[in-house]
Amino acid sequence: MKRFTQWGNDLYTGETSIGFVRRRNTWFIVAIVLICLSVAAPFLRGGFNFGIEFTGGSEFQVSAPTSQDQTLATDDAAAYSETPARVQQLGDGSIRVQTDTLTQEQNNALRADLAESYGTTIENVAVSTIGPSWGADITRQMVIGIIVFLVLASALMSFYFRTWKMAVAAILALFHDLIVTAGVYALTGVEITPAAVIGFLTILGYSLYDTVVVFDKVRENTANYGPGSARTFAESVNLAINQTLVRSINTSVVALLPVMAILFIGAFIMGAGTLRDISLALFIGIFVGALSTIFLAGPLYSAVRAREPKIRETDAEILRRRDAGIEPDAEPEEDGDADGEPARPERENDGAQV
Amino acid sequence: MATSKRSSQAVRGAKSTLLWFGIILIVLGGLNWASVAFQNGQWTPKLALDLEGGTQVVLAAQLQEGAAAPSGDQMAQAASIIRQRVDASGISEAEVTTQGGTNIVVSVPGELDAETQNRIESSAKLEFRPVLYTDSASNVQVVKPEDFGMESFNATPTVEPTDGSDVAQLTDQLFADFLAFDCADVMSDPEVADPEEPMIACDESGTEKFVLGPVEISGEHISDATSSMVTNQQGVATGQWGVNLQFDATGTAEFRAVTERLVAIGATPDPTTGMADTTRSRFAVTLDGNVIVAPTANAVITDGKAQITGSFTEQSSKDLADQLKFGALPFSFQTQSTQTISATLGTWQLQAGLIAGAIGLLLVLLYSLLQYRLLGLVTMASLASLAVVAYLVVTLLSNQEGYRLSLAGVAGLIIAIGITADSFIVYFERIKDELREGRSLPAAVERGWSRAIRTILASDAVNLLVAIVLFFVAVGNVRGFAITLGITTLIDLFVVTLFTHPLMRLLATTKFFGGGHPASGLDPRALGAVYRGRGEFRRSSQAKKTKVQASAKEAERRQSLAERKAAEAAAKGEK
């Protein structure tokens, strides 16, 4: 841990600097490739694998079965529906059988058959039926939710950071996270259930949340940006990413730990279900979101701002003074704290050249 | 000493803040105690269906093509009618809620027997329509216009109908449809019929089919319906069961007009047969598009009290009375999904969720101890107080607002652990940054806090936004997740402000943390600040410079404004 602290110190002072901004084109290309793969994945793999809640159907849960043989259920269900039934074993030993939509009579008959096959009482076989409009409802609401959220979040961030360009960079990074997460689902063919949708919607928040913390430091570092600054605009952004890197890593680890706990319990102990579905989407999303915060959001912001003539001029001036060997201005204190020495930033030699 | 005065102020402030935190905790606990003592509340949150086991039926309102979405009032009315039905069938603790504009969710503990399910599902639109024509349901034949040497059947009446019983409404097309009408097809899938037009319907047993006129009275005008033994003129019970109706003022007037007309039709001999018309003197009561009863009007009813008699048993008359009484829904409903979860599976899911939460919490604690040494204990204490507050708030919500904790809600709580811990991480990292600048710990805590709280507020606002948006567009169990996410975000702000920060202020004055003990996680030496003697440190970046460098170029650094402008102009000129 000693080394991690030391590394944190060096990142803070600029002693160690990782050129996140300098190599931004590399990250952008990687991101674009990932997005293209994610968009292509559903077409290559024949679409997403939607769960029964989206397609409609009947679901039977046999608790306390005397046998674990899944073919019993497949054979029973074959008498009622053309498509082969999906049979899964849940963590508590119960068997879950999913079939196409059946009539009430067929449901009752299959329920009795299953109870007989697995040597249990009919009360131990729970039946659920899901109409096909249910999934459409969720999908519609989800799309509305995403749109409303994006509009409100953009407004909130533009207001807080006082620049809409930060909001644009953050939202672009967010889109990347959503598309890549959806792509992973398409590639792996993991079932998409309403619980997975919840997880997916939570990524919205987490991805932005993570970005806001880094952008807050960027805002602070570029607050006094002017011709007398020690760093060019891109260098300031880069320093902010470096300074919050320890925090970004810690946060992602801390956020992932409980998610991994749910994922572990959900996937290995409980089998299919709400916990597994929520946590899988979150796991992918937080992981991708943490990376996109560091590699995409900040560099995107500096790329968007670098086009402004005023920034170009100022940067040119800073570089000119640097070459001429003129010391940069001292940065003003934000509050008159007599305990502290005036902060005088170290010149960063490994900074980005815009 | 200015410093010591300020730090003693900080300590006083911290102590009073912590006192407030304690008071709020006691108040929350007290509110819970009060609801347990006086409103039969519980010390544990109520559990949702997926954790407790039970059955959930989602009903969707069936709307006509192009009809406007039901209003909130209509939905609330429908929900309360369905609630009455469920209660009438003797199920306790049923929950009926509206959801997403057109859905009604019925949750009952345990299993739902077929009878109750039917009772809930037949939560239909009740209508009174005059009978125009009847036939046996088994008489199904397809007739084509060619059979009669016609181009096509006319679908509009040749003569404008004068009233709801006018046979002019029986167009050729309608009659052909009626002949081809197979009751078996429609029993399972009730149609939404236009109240202004004639319709074809079957009785519930599927033995008779009808052509009915437009709606004369809608079911919401029934104010009461009971079942009782039918009595004869002398007041002696006949052993038959009947259903007694009571209309409200509007219904009374309408019913009177209808019975007047139908009685008149029944009394007039048909010119072709010379027999009284026993078909068009009947009126049908339809529920969900099916005829539940089609009695003949024997007398003009002026007081809005009617009795329907027929081949009722005690049970069927009671069922019909219930249907009539609670059947006055503004639209009919169809089951969208039913879900049954066994109690054992529910308990099992709850246990799994709690175990996952405990593991998650433990991992976060281990990691923060590893990262922040004994400062991790502050995280632990903060998370513990967050857990206590969150538990009290969820229980209170459950007692006061009927909130039920679902598995998705539990997942929201577990995920919030990470989000909450992040507030502490932001704060601690800020304090470290200030220490790196060479400040003493009390000063670093003050400055770090003023910077961290901005970040925490901004990032928590984003989270709260997610929770609010999810809550309002939520379908199904998304809402439970949104609620716990929102609650924990707010509590996180509360705890970090009223607990973590004052605690840090107090700890900053202790020898162990303030003195920067290596195990405290706040050792300035480890953070690269350099000892300057008397407990003061210089910032790390300066220590690396030589003295010459540090004082060099003082003149250039203090450029005058004019010089700076000139330099800028020069830069512009170069472009």
Side-chain angles (χ1 to χ4, degrees), chain B residues 66-145:
Chain B
S71 69
D73 278 354
Q74 281 179 308
M75 286 302 285
Q77 184 201 358
S80 81
I81 287 165
I82 292 176
R83 192 173 301 123
Q84 286 172 314
R85 285 162 173 271
V86 179
D87 290 346
S89 53
I91 295 171
S92 58
E93 279 190 57
E95 278 204 3
V96 183
T97 51
T98 58
Q99 181 190 78
T102 57
N103 288 353
I104 288 184
V105 182
V106 183
S107 309
V108 298
E111 283 231 14
L112 201 59
D113 54 37
E115 197 186 324
T116 314
Q117 178 125 4
N118 287 338
R119 188 192 282 253
I120 293 171
E121 284 173 29
S122 68
S123 54
K125 209 171 157 57
L126 188 83
E127 291 165 343
F128 288 74
R129 289 170 179 258
V131 176
L132 297 176
Y133 192 84
T134 63
D135 198 347
S136 162
S138 54
N139 182 12
V140 178
Q141 45 181 314
V142 179
V143 289
K144 295 193 179 65

Side-chain angles (χ1 to χ4, degrees), chain A residues 20-234:
Chain A
F20 293 114
V21 174
R22 191 157 32 96
R23 307 184 42 198
R24 65 187 176 210
N25 289 338
T26 318
W27 319 136
F28 294 169
I29 289 165
V30 170
I32 288 166
V33 168
L34 280 177
I35 287 172
C36 290
L37 276 177
S38 305
V39 172
F43 298 106
L44 298 174
R45 292 288 312 255
F48 293 99
N49 176 9
F50 284 107
I52 192 170
E53 290 87 353
F54 290 99
T55 55
S58 297
E59 180 179 294
F60 302 80
Q61 281 198 349
V62 188
S63 36
T66 49
S67 146
Q68 293 295 345
D69 184 4
Q70 301 192 350
T71 52
L72 294 173
T74 323
D75 295 346
D76 282 342
Y80 300 96
S81 109
E82 293 292 315
T83 7
R86 248 193 269 197
V87 185
Q88 285 163 306
Q89 196 182 335
L90 300 184
D92 62 346
S94 57
I95 305 263
R96 187 169 85 174
V97 186
Q98 295 182 328
T99 66
D100 285 353
T101 312
L102 303 175
T103 63
Q104 192 63 46
E105 290 78 31
Q106 286 175 316
N107 275 337
N108 293 340
L110 181 51
R111 186 182 178 191
D113 291 353
L114 286 171
E116 197 182 340
S117 304
Y118 285 102
T120 179
T121 57
I122 201 154
E123 285 75 36
N124 277 344
V125 184
V127 189
S128 307
T129 58
I130 293 124
S133 57
W134 183 234
D137 251 15
I138 296 181
T139 316
R140 193 190 64 236
Q141 295 290 73
M142 177 174 141
V143 171
I144 295 173
I146 290 180
I147 293 169
V148 170
F149 174 76
L150 287 180
V151 171
L152 290 177
S154 309
L156 184 84
M157 285 166 57
S158 303
F159 171 76
Y160 179 74
F161 292 120
R162 292 188 184 75
T163 160
W164 58 269
K165 291 188 173 175
M166 271 197 177
V168 167
I171 302 272
L172 281 175
L174 167 67
F175 269 121
H176 162 269
D177 300 347
L178 289 182
I179 292 169
V180 171
T181 307
V184 171
Y185 268 84
L187 269 179
T188 52
V190 175
E191 200 178 37
I192 297 179
T193 61
V197 171
I198 298 178
F200 194 74
L201 289 170
T202 314
I203 299 170
L204 284 175
Y206 186 82
S207 172
L208 281 190
Y209 170 88
D210 204 32
T211 309
V212 163
V213 177
V214 176
F215 277 9
D216 209 37
K217 189 74 191 170
V218 171
R219 186 186 51 83
E220 204 174 291
N221 285 7
T222 56
N224 301 310
Y225 171 74
S229 303
R231 286 180 203 84
T232 63
F233 191 83

Side-chain angles (χ1 to χ4, degrees), chain B residues 306-318:
Chain B
Q307 187 176 55
I308 304 173
T309 54
S311 53
F312 286 116
T313 61
E314 181 180 1
Q315 186 59 45
S316 66
S317 68
K318 185 177 177 309

Side-chain angles (χ1 to χ4, degrees), chain B residues 225-521:
Chain B
T226 54
S227 69
S228 64
M229 290 286 253
V230 180
T231 53
N232 62 10
Q233 305 291 331
Q234 287 76 39
V236 180
T238 59
Q240 267 196 316
W241 284 88
V243 179
N244 311 303
L245 296 181
Q246 173 66 56
F247 288 97
D248 64 10
T250 319
T252 301
E254 286 174 347
F255 196 58
R256 177 179 174 173
V258 173
T259 47
E260 272 175 0
R261 194 178 75 220
L262 297 185
V263 167
I265 291 172
T268 318
D270 194 322
T272 48
T273 58
M275 303 283 285
D277 190 333
T278 52
T279 303
R280 291 194 308 123
S281 57
R282 293 168 74 185
F283 66 91
V285 182
T286 62
L287 194 65
D288 251 347
N290 290 325
V291 178
I292 46 172
V293 66
T296 305
N298 296 327
V300 178
I301 311 280
T302 54
D303 60 355
K305 283 197 173 79
Q307 187 176 55
I308 304 173
T309 54
S311 53
F312 286 116
T313 61
E314 181 180 1
Q315 186 59 45
S316 66
S317 68
K318 185 177 177 309
D319 281 351
L320 179 58
D322 273 349
Q323 278 187 326
L324 294 177
K325 190 171 169 181
F326 304 134
L329 281 180
F331 27 71
S332 60
F333 281 87
Q334 220 177 351
T335 305
Q336 207 174 34
S337 70
T338 59
Q339 240 187 331
T340 309
I341 290 173
S342 69
T344 49
L345 187 69
T347 313
W348 160 247
Q349 302 216 82
L350 179 62
Q351 277 173 346
L354 292 178
I355 291 168
I359 294 175
L361 206 54
L362 201 67
L363 288 174
V364 168
L365 282 179
L366 282 176
Y367 186 78
S368 53
L369 282 177
L370 198 69
Q371 268 291 357
Y372 297 108
R373 316 275 164 88
L374 287 180
L375 209 53
L377 293 176
V378 177
T379 311
M380 190 148 124
S382 304
L383 278 174
S385 52
L386 175 105
V388 170
V389 177
Y391 185 85
L392 287 176
V393 170
V394 168
T395 311
L396 203 59
L397 266 182
S398 163
N399 284 334
Q400 300 295 333
E401 305 292 326
Y403 171 72
R404 284 175 174 266
L405 191 63
S406 64
L407 194 56
V410 172
L413 287 172
I414 298 172
I415 284 149
I417 295 172
I419 287 167
T420 308
D422 182 52
S423 297
F424 310 141
I425 292 174
V426 169
Y427 182 30
F428 293 161
E429 289 295 334
R430 281 291 193 175
I431 293 176
K432 278 183 169 183
D433 287 352
E434 297 304 325
L435 287 174
R436 287 182 181 123
E437 298 283 353
R439 291 195 171 78
S440 66
L441 185 60
V445 166
E446 297 305 315
R447 268 184 67 98
W449 171 250
S450 65
R451 292 175 171 211
I453 188 66
R454 288 195 55 152
T455 309
I456 293 170
L457 277 172
S459 50
D460 275 356
V462 170
N463 257 323
L464 203 58
L465 189 65
V466 174
I468 291 169
V469 170
L470 280 185
F471 180 83
F472 279 109
V473 300
V475 181
N477 53 7
V478 178
R479 185 161 282 196
F481 180 83
I483 289 174
T484 47
L485 191 69
I487 289 174
T488 40
T489 304
L490 287 175
I491 296 176
D492 167 40
L493 266 181
F494 171 77
V495 168
V496 88
T497 316
L498 294 186
F499 181 78
T500 315
H501 174 51
L503 191 66
M504 282 306 298
R505 278 175 138 183
L506 290 182
L507 289 178
T509 60
T510 60
K511 195 164 177 311
F512 177 78
F513 284 98
H517 189 282
S520 68

